[in-house]
């Protein structure tokens, strides 16, 4: 394993990405609708990729998508259908034996289904009957907080706005969402430090940046079009510094599949100029080290820092300087897993650059010290005035196409007073003020029998959440669960006493209201709001749109509603007119959507307006925690494979990491394997160690030697989520610590992987 690079021989993307894309389209029997959809994806007048939230360039190409965008479209435009005959054939108990990949492979849901506990099977039900039954159950609740409304980041702005309006007219703020498990830590950190919970950069800034730092992110799989931007930046001399415990191929070498010559010659472009592999959980120490090196360098020349910006726009620099001065290099080196030389080298790149962007993803957000770690990124950028200037800024890269938009629409358990007041004024309702449940709270409440009704708008709750066994038991305590979905997944099989599957239209499908095609809108990682309009015939005549399902459910649940739900969904422009009234940033909403590519929502910090408790940008710091590791213990991080999108499993391969046809694998450092007398391919059981004293186990994982620091390991979610204790969350953001799980491994003496 000696070489210091990832195990994949060739560059990322290129011919392999083209071949894989074609394979998925063919495999899903989606050639015609799939290709038709791809040619309209991520373009004005077309629809938005239901994959990640990477923005669309103004000068888009005819094929403005990546391999994983193709997988998402193939999965949605698949020719396979799940009909009532399918559910007659399988009991829920049968289906629970199937893995996520098999369930995903069964095709699109086609009609509303209701679970029959007597037969343990789902049976067809009419929409009217389904809404009536759900309505009766909600009306039977003793308190509105007995209902939970979960949202996955694929939900459009219009559906999300109606969904929160429904819940708030009902009287609850129980709006857990997938953001709770991903960038919540980013939102909390940035709001405290610079007064806004969203990234401050635009796509154009990447064309000007002189240095781009990337922490805890694997764009090659999770935001592939970002590689196009990084390749261009690298070619014009921008320094690209990657910090990731794992060597990720996309951060090393990349071929843009539309560059025919390079693709045919399999000639990759280098991406990272510097690649550092800190320990799992070592980023806080790395960033403190960068700050220390920068302060030490600025002693020789104080103008290496932007003194004017610091004095005009920030507070707390002296406290930061004092904290960093008393943080010892030996602690930084020990806690980060990097050498002082490496950190100083990276700091020198930062100091030479006058325009720096810092990108990050789950590698930073899903650990106990996530919030304070991300605030060190803010500190780093503030020292050189790299917020609010072209070519520089904060860039949390969102993993779900509209996760940022949903939050903007009010999908949050603790909405602002101004938002609730605006809602009350516009809709003449009384909005609840009691803080609602985030994802972890909702699971605890379900376990405590405090939740009667769980509604899931998209997503795969039981697979996305931590502590799988506990979470599944908690869900089963609900009186009723209902999921608004396009495809079958495990969450449909872990049911409340009553359960419904409510199949909805996909992003690629035409949404007719009163025979008029409707547009929805999404907001990407960089606060661009644009339309998405389906182009394909729906997969079934019985599908309803997300907004329609919410409106029908609200009408059934709120007999005294004051809101014209039917009117709102008869023409989505009306929903947007209401959004505009509640959210001033959406002024002239429908009008501005006519601009090709949509419009920018704005970002106060980008304009150096600091909506913080000090009215300035805050330098925030805290002592470096001295994390220790007992002998034999490892730090596990959960990851996605290249054939996976969030909890959706498109395939069983992970090409860039050399894995084929399996998912129950654990990536280990070779010397750790030697110390434990583990051979490549040995089957292991993984145990997590938690403060609640429960020894959680994941059985039958195959050992794979990989380029990862000693003492660290990685395994795929959702398979490894059973190891993440529910109570193990990030400070302040309550995000599950899926990227820092303390484990022990032992050989599985049965030597067989049980699927
Ligand atoms: S980069 Fe993200 S948004 Fe773009 S096509 Fe790929 S998955 Fe879709």
């Amino acid at each position: 394993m000696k070489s210091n690079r990832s195990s994949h021989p060739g560059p990322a993307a290129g011919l392999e990405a083209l071949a894989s894309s074609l394979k998925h389209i063919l495999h899903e029997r989606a050639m015609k609708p799939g290709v038709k959809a791809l040619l309209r994806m991520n373009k004005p007048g077309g629809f938005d990729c239901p994959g990640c939230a990477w923005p669309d360039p103004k000068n888009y190409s005819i094929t403005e998508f990546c391999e994983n965008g193709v997988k998402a479209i193939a999965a949605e435009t698949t020719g396979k259908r799940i009909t009532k005959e399918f559910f007659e054939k399988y009991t829920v108990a049968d289906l629970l034996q199937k893995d996520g990949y098999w369930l995903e492979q069964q095709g699109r849901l086609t009609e509303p289904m209701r679970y029959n506990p007597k037969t343990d099977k789902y049976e067809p039900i009419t929409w009217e009957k389904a809404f009536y039954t759900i309505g009766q159950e909600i009306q039977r609740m003793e308190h509105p907080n007995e209902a939970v409304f979960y949202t996955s980041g694929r939900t459009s702005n219009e559906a999300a706005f109606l969904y929160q309006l429904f819940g708030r007219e009902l009287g609850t703020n129980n709006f857990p969402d997938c953001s709770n498990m991903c960038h919540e830590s980013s939102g909390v950190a940035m709001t405290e430090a610079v007064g806004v919970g969203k990234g401050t950069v635009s796509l154009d800034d990447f064309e000007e940046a002189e240095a781009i730092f990337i922490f805890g992110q694997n764009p090659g799989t999770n935001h592939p079009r970002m590689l196009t931007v990084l390749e261009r930046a690298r070619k014009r001399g921008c320094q690209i510094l990657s910090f990731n415990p794992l060597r990720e191929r996309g951060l090393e070498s990349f071929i843009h599949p539309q560059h025919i010559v390079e693709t045919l010659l399999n000639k990759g472009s280098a991406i990272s100029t510097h690649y550092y592999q800190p320990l799992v959980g070592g980023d806080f120490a790395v960033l403190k080290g960068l700050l220390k090196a920068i302060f030490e360098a600025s002693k020789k020349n104080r103008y290496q820092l932007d003194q004017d910006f610091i004095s005009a726009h920030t507070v707390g620099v002296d406290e930061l300087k004092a904290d960093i001065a008393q943080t010892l290099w030996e602690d930084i080196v020990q806690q980060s897993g990097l050498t002082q030389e490496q950190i100083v080298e990276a700091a020198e790149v930062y100091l030479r650059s006058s325009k720096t962007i810092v990108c990050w993803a789950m590698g930073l957000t899903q650990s106990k010290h996530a919030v304070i770690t991300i605030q060190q990124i803010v500190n780093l950028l503030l020292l050189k005035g790299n917020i609010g200037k072209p070519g520089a800024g904060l860039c949390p890269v969102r993993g779900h196409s509209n996760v940022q938009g949903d939050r903007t629409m009010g999908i949050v358990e603790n909405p602002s007073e101004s938002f609730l007041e605006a809602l009350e004024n516009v809709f003449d309702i009384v909005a609840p003020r009691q803080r609602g449940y985030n994802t972890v709270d909702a699971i605890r409440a379900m376990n405590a029998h405090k939740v009667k009704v769980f509604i899931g708008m998209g997503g795969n709750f039981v697979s996305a959440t931590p502590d799988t066994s506990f979470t599944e038991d908690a869900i089963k305590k609900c009186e009723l669960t209902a999921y608004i979905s396009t495809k079958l997944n495990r969450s449909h099989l872990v049911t409340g006493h009553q359960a419904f599957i409510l199949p909805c239209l996909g992003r690629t499908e035409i949404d007719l209201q009163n025979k008029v095609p409707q547009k929805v809108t999404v907001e990407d990682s960089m606060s661009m709001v644009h339309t998405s309009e389906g182009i394909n015939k729906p997969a079934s005549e019985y599908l309803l749109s997300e907004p329609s399902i919410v409106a029908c459910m609200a009408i059934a649940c709120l007999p005294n509603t004051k809101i014209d739900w039917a009117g709102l969904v008869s023409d989505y422009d009306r929903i947007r007119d209401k959004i505009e009234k509640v959210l001033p940033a959406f002024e002239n909403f429908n009008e501005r959507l006519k601009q090709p590519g949509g419009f920018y929502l704005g970002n106060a910090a980008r304009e150096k307006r600091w909506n913080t408790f000090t009215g300035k940008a805050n330098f925030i710091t805290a002592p470096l925690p001295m994390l220790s590791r007992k002998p034999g213990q490892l730090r596990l991080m959960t990851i996605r494979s290249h054939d996976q999108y969030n909890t959706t499993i498109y395939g069983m391969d992970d090409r860039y990491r050399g894995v084929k046809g399996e998912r129950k694998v654990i990536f280990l450092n070779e010397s750790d394997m030697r110390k434990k007398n583990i051979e490549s391919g040995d089957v292991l059981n993984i145990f997590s160690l938690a403060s609640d004293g429960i020894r959680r186990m994941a059985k039958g994982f195959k050992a794979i030697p990989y380029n990862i620091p000693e003492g660290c390991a990685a395994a795929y979610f959702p398979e490894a989520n059973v190891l993440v204790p529910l109570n193990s969350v990030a400070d302040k953001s309550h995000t599950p610590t899926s990227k820092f799980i303390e484990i022990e491994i032992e050989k599985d003496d049965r030597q067989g992987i049980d699927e």
Side-chain angles (χ1 to χ4, degrees):
M1 170 65 65
K2 282 291 146 275
S3 74
N4 191 18
R5 53 160 294 203
S6 70
S7 58
H8 187 68
L15 213 48
E16 287 179 326
L18 295 175
S20 164
S21 301
L22 186 59
K23 185 185 88 183
H24 280 267
I25 288 276
L26 292 173
H27 179 72
E28 293 291 350
R29 303 200 302 267
M31 188 51 90
K32 190 160 167 286
V35 172
K36 180 181 170 198
L38 287 171
L39 295 173
R40 295 289 297 281
M41 181 151 92
N42 295 337
K43 299 186 188 69
F47 68 91
D48 181 68
C49 170
C52 79
W54 187 257
D56 305 331
K58 293 192 192 72
N59 334 321
Y60 50 86
S61 72
I62 181 140
T63 50
E64 191 53 52
F65 49 79
C66 75
E67 175 192 347
N68 283 1
V70 174
K71 290 171 190 167
I73 295 309
E76 186 176 297
T77 59
T78 177
K80 303 170 198 169
R81 298 284 180 272
I82 291 186
T83 59
K84 59 178 178 291
E85 287 75 21
F86 171 88
F87 286 112
E88 280 160 10
K89 184 172 167 198
Y90 295 101
T91 64
V92 167
D94 297 335
L95 295 170
L96 280 167
Q97 302 313 308
K98 306 291 184 184
D99 65 19
Y101 175 59
W102 187 91
L103 295 171
E104 170 67 19
Q105 284 303 304
Q106 303 315 304
R108 291 285 304 274
L109 297 160
T110 55
E111 60 182 312
M113 303 299 284
R114 179 183 192 168
Y115 175 64
N116 179 344
K118 295 199 187 70
T119 61
D120 189 31
K121 289 184 176 181
Y122 272 100
E123 297 162 353
I125 185 171
T126 62
W127 281 108
E128 294 69 24
K129 192 86 184 21
F131 291 134
Y132 172 78
T133 312
I134 294 168
Q136 292 305 299
E137 194 56 51
I138 286 217
Q139 291 176 44
R140 260 197 294 276
M141 295 186 317
E142 281 147 33
H143 188 283
N145 281 339
E146 291 178 352
V148 164
F149 296 89
Y150 175 74
T151 308
S152 102
R154 185 179 285 195
T155 306
S156 68
N157 284 340
E158 290 71 16
F161 185 75
L162 293 185
Y163 198 45
Q164 62 82 28
L165 182 62
F166 166 26
R168 294 204 164 102
E169 187 179 19
L170 177 73
T172 184
N173 282 317
N174 288 346
F175 290 102
D177 69 343
C178 61
S179 188
N180 295 153
M181 289 170 280
C182 69
H183 270 294
E184 193 72 53
S185 301
S186 306
V188 171
M190 293 190 292
T191 302
E192 266 185 22
V194 293
V196 64
K198 302 177 179 181
T200 64
V201 299
S202 70
L203 207 46
D204 294 343
D205 288 320
F206 283 83
E207 304 308 321
E208 288 192 47
E210 294 169 13
I212 299 170
F213 284 55
I214 303 171
F215 287 92
Q217 187 196 358
N218 175 20
T221 289
N222 304 333
H223 316 94
R225 281 189 299 157
M226 181 176 171
L227 297 185
T228 308
V229 170
L230 294 178
E231 180 195 33
R232 239 191 344 264
R234 171 75 194 257
K235 284 190 172 159
R236 62 175 176 75
C238 176
Q239 299 296 293
I240 299 178
L241 293 79
S242 297
F243 298 80
N244 195 316
L246 281 171
R247 290 296 297 208
E248 301 288 16
R249 195 61 183 138
L251 289 169
E252 295 175 329
S253 177
F254 163 66
I255 301 178
H256 193 311
Q258 291 167 29
H259 297 169
I260 308 306
V261 178
E262 290 87 345
T263 297
L264 294 176
L265 297 174
N266 201 30
K267 188 170 166 310
S269 308
I271 295 293
S272 300
T273 53
H274 305 73
Y275 203 123
Y276 305 104
Q277 295 179 258
L279 294 172
V280 167
D283 299 282
F284 188 8
V286 171
L287 285 154
K288 282 217 159 192
L290 289 172
L291 294 166
K292 191 171 183 70
I294 289 163
F295 277 130
E296 286 175 354
S298 68
K299 278 197 194 111
K300 303 183 196 88
N301 167 6
R302 67 188 298 273
Y303 292 104
Q304 292 214 49
L305 307 184
D306 188 334
Q307 303 298 345
D308 296 345
F309 179 91
I310 292 171
S311 51
H313 293 285
T314 73
V315 290
V317 72
D318 295 334
E319 293 78 3
L320 175 67
K321 227 182 252 172
D323 167 77
I324 295 297
Q326 67 198 7
T327 306
L328 306 175
W329 270 115
E330 70 216 54
D331 294 342
I332 288 170
V333 168
Q334 193 252 344
Q335 289 294 316
S336 68
L338 299 184
T339 65
Q340 182 171 345
E341 292 68 32
Q342 287 177 307
I343 295 174
V344 170
E345 175 191 59
E348 284 164 357
V349 172
Y350 181 74
L351 284 168
R352 282 197 299 274
S353 161
S354 65
K355 297 174 178 179
T356 301
I357 292 175
V358 179
C359 305
W360 70 89
M362 303 308 100
L364 288 196
T365 65
Q366 297 176 329
S367 58
K368 178 172 173 45
H369 306 287
V371 171
I372 190 67
T373 299
I374 294 161
Q375 288 169 338
Q376 303 319 299
I377 289 178
V378 178
N379 292 345
L380 182 71
L381 291 172
L382 292 176
L383 286 178
K384 290 199 65 166
N386 278 312
I387 297 180
K389 79 177 169 186
L394 296 159
C395 185
V397 186
R398 310 250 175 195
H400 223 317
S401 58
N402 199 37
V403 65
Q404 188 162 308
D406 295 338
R407 189 51 64 90
T408 305
M409 290 297 123
I411 299 294
V412 67
E413 76 274 10
N414 57 344
S416 67
E417 181 55 28
S418 58
F419 177 81
L420 293 176
E421 275 172 14
L423 215 54
E424 290 179 327
N425 297 339
V426 172
F427 292 100
D428 186 22
I429 62 168
V430 178
R433 293 315 194 264
Q434 184 185 357
R435 186 185 181 115
Y437 298 142
N438 61 29
T439 297
V440 168
D441 295 339
I443 296 168
R444 286 199 191 104
M446 284 187 263
N447 183 59
H449 296 277
K450 288 185 187 159
V451 174
K452 295 266 186 347
V453 175
F454 177 93
I455 310 282
M457 172 68 85
N460 182 355
F461 189 81
V462 294
S463 296
T465 46
D467 225 341
T468 314
S469 316
F470 182 91
T471 299
E472 293 195 354
D473 292 346
I475 284 256
K476 293 174 190 162
K477 295 178 180 174
C478 294
E479 181 43 49
L480 183 148
T481 54
Y483 282 91
I484 298 150
S485 307
T486 55
K487 305 286 284 285
L488 185 65
N489 64 46
R490 188 170 176 80
S491 294
H492 301 127
L493 311 174
V494 180
T495 70
H497 304 146
Q498 299 181 66
F500 295 83
I501 300 176
L502 308 173
C504 64
L505 293 173
R507 275 276 176 85
T508 60
E509 293 169 334
I510 300 167
D511 175 359
L512 291 177
Q513 300 298 332
N514 298 321
K515 299 192 175 59
V516 179
Q518 300 295 315
K519 298 183 182 68
V520 293
T521 59
V522 294
E523 176 189 339
D524 64 35
S525 269
M526 297 176 197
S527 303
M528 286 298 292
V529 175
H530 58 97
T531 60
S532 179
E533 188 173 353
I535 48 119
N536 279 339
K537 190 166 153 287
S540 151
E541 61 183 308
Y542 301 114
L543 304 181
L544 291 178
S545 72
E546 292 172 332
S548 302
I549 293 173
V550 174
C552 294
M553 213 185 272
I555 292 167
C557 298
L558 304 165
N560 309 317
T561 183
K562 291 184 177 177
I563 297 168
D564 175 13
W565 295 98
L568 284 171
V569 291
S570 67
D571 175 353
Y572 296 176
D573 279 359
R574 296 181 181 180
I575 303 172
R576 289 184 281 272
D577 289 342
K578 296 295 185 187
I579 292 173
E580 174 178 332
K581 290 198 174 75
V582 172
L583 296 165
F586 285 81
E587 193 184 4
N588 286 335
F589 194 177
N590 283 310
E591 200 46 42
R592 285 199 286 166
L593 285 177
K594 294 179 181 139
Q595 298 162 31
F599 61 91
Y600 179 58
L601 261 183
N603 182 299
R606 186 181 166 82
E607 296 144 29
K608 301 196 190 90
R609 284 184 297 109
W610 316 104
N611 300 330
T612 61
F613 62 96
T614 60
K616 298 258 182 163
N618 300 314
F619 284 107
I620 300 174
T621 191
L624 182 64
M626 301 311 289
L627 308 174
S628 60
R629 198 165 40 78
K630 297 200 183 67
Q633 274 186 5
L634 302 172
R635 290 178 189 165
L636 179 80
M637 58 185 213
T638 65
I639 56 174
R640 285 187 199 171
S641 79
H642 191 62
D643 271 358
Q644 172 183 356
Y645 175 74
N646 281 344
T647 57
T648 305
I649 314 299
Y650 296 128
M652 297 300 282
D653 301 343
D654 188 4
R655 177 171 84 241
Y656 298 149
R657 300 192 184 109
V659 175
K660 202 157 184 39
E662 57 190 338
R663 291 186 49 82
K664 291 189 81 171
V665 300
I666 180 168
F667 299 96
L668 295 166
N669 173 282
E670 262 192 310
S671 59
D672 288 328
M673 291 174 69
R674 265 194 306 280
K675 277 186 227 138
K676 297 172 186 300
N677 190 18
I678 292 170
E679 299 294 326
S680 176
D682 279 355
V683 177
L684 309 175
N685 294 334
I686 312 171
F687 300 90
S688 68
L689 319 164
S691 54
D692 59 10
I694 299 172
R695 197 167 152 76
R696 294 168 175 79
M697 177 169 72
K699 281 171 84 58
F701 283 67
K702 191 164 119 181
I704 295 189
Y706 201 81
N707 190 337
I708 189 169
E710 209 169 324
C712 302
Y716 302 134
F717 75 87
E719 289 83 352
N721 281 354
V722 66
L723 296 166
V724 185
L726 188 70
N727 299 333
S728 179
V729 293
D731 299 340
K732 292 185 180 171
S733 65
H734 313 291
T735 296
T737 59
S738 308
K739 285 276 194 281
F740 190 102
I741 312 156
E742 291 172 304
I743 62 163
E744 286 172 347
I745 52 178
E746 67 181 39
K747 282 192 186 167
D748 180 326
D749 47 24
R750 292 166 311 125
Q751 280 304 319
I753 295 181
D754 55 347
E755 285 306 329

